[in-house]
Amino acid sequence: MPTESVSDQALTRRTHGRRALRLGVGVTVTFLIALAFDWTLAYLAPIFAAPLLQKSMAPSLRQAVSVLGVTFVIMMLSLLVGGISQAYPALFLFALFPILFWTYRYGLRGGSGLVLLVLLLGLMLLPMVANTTVEITRKVAGSFVGNIGLSLVVTYIMFELFPSMPTEPQPTPKPSLSSMEVNRRALILTALTGSYLVVYFSLEWTNVHTPLYIAVYAYGANLARGLVVSKSILVSNVAAGLLALFMYELTVMTPHFVFVAALVLTVNLVLARMITSEATWAPLAGFALSVVMIIYGESIVPFSDGGGSNLIDRLGELGMAAMYAIGCLYILNVYFPEKLLEVDTPSEKAATLDG
């Protein structure tokens, strides 16, 4: 029996190590390819690759084609919405709230997390970018399809290099929420993101990065249960911003591609071991990974002299998004408390969303 116990522990450690290597190396490879070719919003590719690399197996060819097709359709629709937002801003803002509400309901009812993220980025980012030029807007829309395509290719390669083990944890089914609780959460998240876009359009802001952070926060809050977890997500993202600042300072001292590759690989492997652990805070490391890739990637591409000022700006935008999101969550949870709307049954009280 002791021998079997030691063997089981060794197998568990080996499984954890392989999952961490697959995730850390895969995200790093995606990031370095994006850095080397530097297309529009290339630094978003790693955050698309991360959820794919955390699964127990690579997506099938049919699933990959389906994800690419859905992404293409979403981006085409987002281009249309972006055009409407410029020609008829009042109509856009009026239609935005029910669209956001449907989007969050889709995610809360167990929809694909990757599709949910693409939907949020399309709704939050493209209408903002449409304030610039048509060419830039089209490049941004096209970059989403390219980023998803790259993440799928890297995922297949990583599963070939680090194949799944029979002992890898299988995805657990997501517990279902009551209809009233789904509506409550969708309503809160819709108010959070929709109100920001109303302010954005009303004040004619041109900063398109804060909507990106708001979308990432909303994606994280969609997977969280309760205000405490949501605050933890925000805190972890701010901590990730400070980590990105540290990484940038190291990059300034040694601005070479090989050093950047080694630095990113080291950080990603550490975060990957945290993400693939069984700790209760493991999902927070996943959100931190996304923020590091966005802030650090946007600041060093393409190793411009203005990277430092860009990074400080991004940190300020990150803090602004965090304060706005947490303030809204406080207020909205007061006016829409869970105990008033959730069905009072033991099974539904025990239900939680699996991140």
Side-chain angles (χ1 to χ4, degrees), residues 22-33:
R22 185 189 303 135
L23 175 59
V25 174
V27 171
T28 301
V29 169
T30 308
F31 179 84
L32 294 178
I33 293 174

mmCIF file with all atom_site columns, all heavy atoms in Angstrom, residues 22-33:
data_model
loop_
_atom_site.group_PDB
_atom_site.id
_atom_site.type_symbol
_atom_site.label_atom_id
_atom_site.label_alt_id
_atom_site.label_comp_id
_atom_site.label_asym_id
_atom_site.label_entity_id
_atom_site.label_seq_id
_atom_site.pdbx_PDB_ins_code
_atom_site.Cartn_x
_atom_site.Cartn_y
_atom_site.Cartn_z
_atom_site.occupancy
_atom_site.B_iso_or_equiv
_atom_site.pdbx_formal_charge
_atom_site.auth_seq_id
_atom_site.auth_comp_id
_atom_site.auth_asym_id
_atom_site.auth_atom_id
_atom_site.pdbx_PDB_model_num
ATOM 1  N N   . ARG A 1 22 ? 3.006  21.936 -21.129 1.00 0.00 ? 22 ARG A N   1
ATOM 2  C CA  . ARG A 1 22 ? 2.199  22.168 -22.325 1.00 0.00 ? 22 ARG A CA  1
ATOM 3  C C   . ARG A 1 22 ? 1.658  23.595 -22.344 1.00 0.00 ? 22 ARG A C   1
ATOM 4  O O   . ARG A 1 22 ? 1.703  24.286 -23.361 1.00 0.00 ? 22 ARG A O   1
ATOM 5  C CB  . ARG A 1 22 ? 1.054  21.162 -22.372 1.00 0.00 ? 22 ARG A CB  1
ATOM 6  C CG  . ARG A 1 22 ? 0.216  21.246 -23.658 1.00 0.00 ? 22 ARG A CG  1
ATOM 7  C CD  . ARG A 1 22 ? -1.033 20.381 -23.523 1.00 0.00 ? 22 ARG A CD  1
ATOM 8  N NE  . ARG A 1 22 ? -0.684 19.009 -23.218 1.00 0.00 ? 22 ARG A NE  1
ATOM 9  C CZ  . ARG A 1 22 ? -1.298 18.275 -22.289 1.00 0.00 ? 22 ARG A CZ  1
ATOM 10 N NH1 . ARG A 1 22 ? -2.302 18.774 -21.585 1.00 0.00 ? 22 ARG A NH1 1
ATOM 11 N NH2 . ARG A 1 22 ? -0.925 17.036 -22.076 1.00 0.00 ? 22 ARG A NH2 1
ATOM 12 N N   . LEU A 1 23 ? 1.136  24.037 -21.197 1.00 0.00 ? 23 LEU A N   1
ATOM 13 C CA  . LEU A 1 23 ? 0.560  25.374 -21.120 1.00 0.00 ? 23 LEU A CA  1
ATOM 14 C C   . LEU A 1 23 ? 1.632  26.454 -21.187 1.00 0.00 ? 23 LEU A C   1
ATOM 15 O O   . LEU A 1 23 ? 1.524  27.404 -21.979 1.00 0.00 ? 23 LEU A O   1
ATOM 16 C CB  . LEU A 1 23 ? -0.237 25.508 -19.820 1.00 0.00 ? 23 LEU A CB  1
ATOM 17 C CG  . LEU A 1 23 ? -0.827 26.893 -19.511 1.00 0.00 ? 23 LEU A CG  1
ATOM 18 C CD1 . LEU A 1 23 ? -1.771 27.332 -20.619 1.00 0.00 ? 23 LEU A CD1 1
ATOM 19 C CD2 . LEU A 1 23 ? -1.551 26.875 -18.166 1.00 0.00 ? 23 LEU A CD2 1
ATOM 20 N N   . GLY A 1 24 ? 2.687  26.319 -20.378 1.00 0.00 ? 24 GLY A N   1
ATOM 21 C CA  . GLY A 1 24 ? 3.725  27.348 -20.341 1.00 0.00 ? 24 GLY A CA  1
ATOM 22 C C   . GLY A 1 24 ? 4.470  27.491 -21.646 1.00 0.00 ? 24 GLY A C   1
ATOM 23 O O   . GLY A 1 24 ? 4.667  28.608 -22.153 1.00 0.00 ? 24 GLY A O   1
ATOM 24 N N   . VAL A 1 25 ? 4.884  26.360 -22.224 1.00 0.00 ? 25 VAL A N   1
ATOM 25 C CA  . VAL A 1 25 ? 5.613  26.410 -23.496 1.00 0.00 ? 25 VAL A CA  1
ATOM 26 C C   . VAL A 1 25 ? 4.677  26.868 -24.619 1.00 0.00 ? 25 VAL A C   1
ATOM 27 O O   . VAL A 1 25 ? 5.062  27.673 -25.478 1.00 0.00 ? 25 VAL A O   1
ATOM 28 C CB  . VAL A 1 25 ? 6.218  25.033 -23.818 1.00 0.00 ? 25 VAL A CB  1
ATOM 29 C CG1 . VAL A 1 25 ? 6.846  25.032 -25.216 1.00 0.00 ? 25 VAL A CG1 1
ATOM 30 C CG2 . VAL A 1 25 ? 7.260  24.658 -22.773 1.00 0.00 ? 25 VAL A CG2 1
ATOM 31 N N   . GLY A 1 26 ? 3.436  26.385 -24.627 1.00 0.00 ? 26 GLY A N   1
ATOM 32 C CA  . GLY A 1 26 ? 2.500  26.760 -25.686 1.00 0.00 ? 26 GLY A CA  1
ATOM 33 C C   . GLY A 1 26 ? 2.193  28.244 -25.704 1.00 0.00 ? 26 GLY A C   1
ATOM 34 O O   . GLY A 1 26 ? 2.200  28.886 -26.772 1.00 0.00 ? 26 GLY A O   1
ATOM 35 N N   . VAL A 1 27 ? 1.925  28.810 -24.544 1.00 0.00 ? 27 VAL A N   1
ATOM 36 C CA  . VAL A 1 27 ? 1.645  30.249 -24.477 1.00 0.00 ? 27 VAL A CA  1
ATOM 37 C C   . VAL A 1 27 ? 2.883  31.045 -24.882 1.00 0.00 ? 27 VAL A C   1
ATOM 38 O O   . VAL A 1 27 ? 2.783  32.063 -25.587 1.00 0.00 ? 27 VAL A O   1
ATOM 39 C CB  . VAL A 1 27 ? 1.185  30.636 -23.055 1.00 0.00 ? 27 VAL A CB  1
ATOM 40 C CG1 . VAL A 1 27 ? 1.112  32.160 -22.905 1.00 0.00 ? 27 VAL A CG1 1
ATOM 41 C CG2 . VAL A 1 27 ? -0.179 30.029 -22.755 1.00 0.00 ? 27 VAL A CG2 1
ATOM 42 N N   . THR A 1 28 ? 4.064  30.580 -24.469 1.00 0.00 ? 28 THR A N   1
ATOM 43 C CA  . THR A 1 28 ? 5.300  31.280 -24.828 1.00 0.00 ? 28 THR A CA  1
ATOM 44 C C   . THR A 1 28 ? 5.547  31.240 -26.326 1.00 0.00 ? 28 THR A C   1
ATOM 45 O O   . THR A 1 28 ? 5.889  32.265 -26.935 1.00 0.00 ? 28 THR A O   1
ATOM 46 C CB  . THR A 1 28 ? 6.498  30.651 -24.091 1.00 0.00 ? 28 THR A CB  1
ATOM 47 O OG1 . THR A 1 28 ? 6.281  30.731 -22.680 1.00 0.00 ? 28 THR A OG1 1
ATOM 48 C CG2 . THR A 1 28 ? 7.783  31.381 -24.439 1.00 0.00 ? 28 THR A CG2 1
ATOM 49 N N   . VAL A 1 29 ? 5.376  30.079 -26.938 1.00 0.00 ? 29 VAL A N   1
ATOM 50 C CA  . VAL A 1 29 ? 5.563  29.971 -28.395 1.00 0.00 ? 29 VAL A CA  1
ATOM 51 C C   . VAL A 1 29 ? 4.589  30.881 -29.127 1.00 0.00 ? 29 VAL A C   1
ATOM 52 O O   . VAL A 1 29 ? 4.966  31.593 -30.078 1.00 0.00 ? 29 VAL A O   1
ATOM 53 C CB  . VAL A 1 29 ? 5.383  28.504 -28.843 1.00 0.00 ? 29 VAL A CB  1
ATOM 54 C CG1 . VAL A 1 29 ? 5.306  28.411 -30.364 1.00 0.00 ? 29 VAL A CG1 1
ATOM 55 C CG2 . VAL A 1 29 ? 6.523  27.638 -28.322 1.00 0.00 ? 29 VAL A CG2 1
ATOM 56 N N   . THR A 1 30 ? 3.338  30.887 -28.687 1.00 0.00 ? 30 THR A N   1
ATOM 57 C CA  . THR A 1 30 ? 2.346  31.767 -29.318 1.00 0.00 ? 30 THR A CA  1
ATOM 58 C C   . THR A 1 30 ? 2.752  33.223 -29.191 1.00 0.00 ? 30 THR A C   1
ATOM 59 O O   . THR A 1 30 ? 2.665  34.006 -30.145 1.00 0.00 ? 30 THR A O   1
ATOM 60 C CB  . THR A 1 30 ? 0.963  31.560 -28.670 1.00 0.00 ? 30 THR A CB  1
ATOM 61 O OG1 . THR A 1 30 ? 0.646  30.172 -28.678 1.00 0.00 ? 30 THR A OG1 1
ATOM 62 C CG2 . THR A 1 30 ? -0.108 32.312 -29.437 1.00 0.00 ? 30 THR A CG2 1
ATOM 63 N N   . PHE A 1 31 ? 3.206  33.608 -27.998 1.00 0.00 ? 31 PHE A N   1
ATOM 64 C CA  . PHE A 1 31 ? 3.620  34.983 -27.754 1.00 0.00 ? 31 PHE A CA  1
ATOM 65 C C   . PHE A 1 31 ? 4.813  35.366 -28.629 1.00 0.00 ? 31 PHE A C   1
ATOM 66 O O   . PHE A 1 31 ? 4.842  36.456 -29.215 1.00 0.00 ? 31 PHE A O   1
ATOM 67 C CB  . PHE A 1 31 ? 3.972  35.162 -26.272 1.00 0.00 ? 31 PHE A CB  1
ATOM 68 C CG  . PHE A 1 31 ? 4.436  36.547 -25.921 1.00 0.00 ? 31 PHE A CG  1
ATOM 69 C CD1 . PHE A 1 31 ? 3.524  37.549 -25.638 1.00 0.00 ? 31 PHE A CD1 1
ATOM 70 C CD2 . PHE A 1 31 ? 5.796  36.848 -25.869 1.00 0.00 ? 31 PHE A CD2 1
ATOM 71 C CE1 . PHE A 1 31 ? 3.953  38.826 -25.313 1.00 0.00 ? 31 PHE A CE1 1
ATOM 72 C CE2 . PHE A 1 31 ? 6.231  38.118 -25.546 1.00 0.00 ? 31 PHE A CE2 1
ATOM 73 C CZ  . PHE A 1 31 ? 5.305  39.113 -25.264 1.00 0.00 ? 31 PHE A CZ  1
ATOM 74 N N   . LEU A 1 32 ? 5.804  34.478 -28.737 1.00 0.00 ? 32 LEU A N   1
ATOM 75 C CA  . LEU A 1 32 ? 7.008  34.797 -29.507 1.00 0.00 ? 32 LEU A CA  1
ATOM 76 C C   . LEU A 1 32 ? 6.715  34.897 -31.000 1.00 0.00 ? 32 LEU A C   1
ATOM 77 O O   . LEU A 1 32 ? 7.287  35.739 -31.702 1.00 0.00 ? 32 LEU A O   1
ATOM 78 C CB  . LEU A 1 32 ? 8.084  33.746 -29.239 1.00 0.00 ? 32 LEU A CB  1
ATOM 79 C CG  . LEU A 1 32 ? 8.640  33.710 -27.807 1.00 0.00 ? 32 LEU A CG  1
ATOM 80 C CD1 . LEU A 1 32 ? 9.656  32.596 -27.655 1.00 0.00 ? 32 LEU A CD1 1
ATOM 81 C CD2 . LEU A 1 32 ? 9.257  35.057 -27.436 1.00 0.00 ? 32 LEU A CD2 1
ATOM 82 N N   . ILE A 1 33 ? 5.824  34.043 -31.502 1.00 0.00 ? 33 ILE A N   1
ATOM 83 C CA  . ILE A 1 33 ? 5.427  34.156 -32.915 1.00 0.00 ? 33 ILE A CA  1
ATOM 84 C C   . ILE A 1 33 ? 4.735  35.491 -33.153 1.00 0.00 ? 33 ILE A C   1
ATOM 85 O O   . ILE A 1 33 ? 5.005  36.195 -34.137 1.00 0.00 ? 33 ILE A O   1
ATOM 86 C CB  . ILE A 1 33 ? 4.507  32.991 -33.309 1.00 0.00 ? 33 ILE A CB  1
ATOM 87 C CG1 . ILE A 1 33 ? 5.282  31.668 -33.288 1.00 0.00 ? 33 ILE A CG1 1
ATOM 88 C CG2 . ILE A 1 33 ? 3.894  33.220 -34.697 1.00 0.00 ? 33 ILE A CG2 1
ATOM 89 C CD1 . ILE A 1 33 ? 4.411  30.448 -33.529 1.00 0.00 ? 33 ILE A CD1 1
#
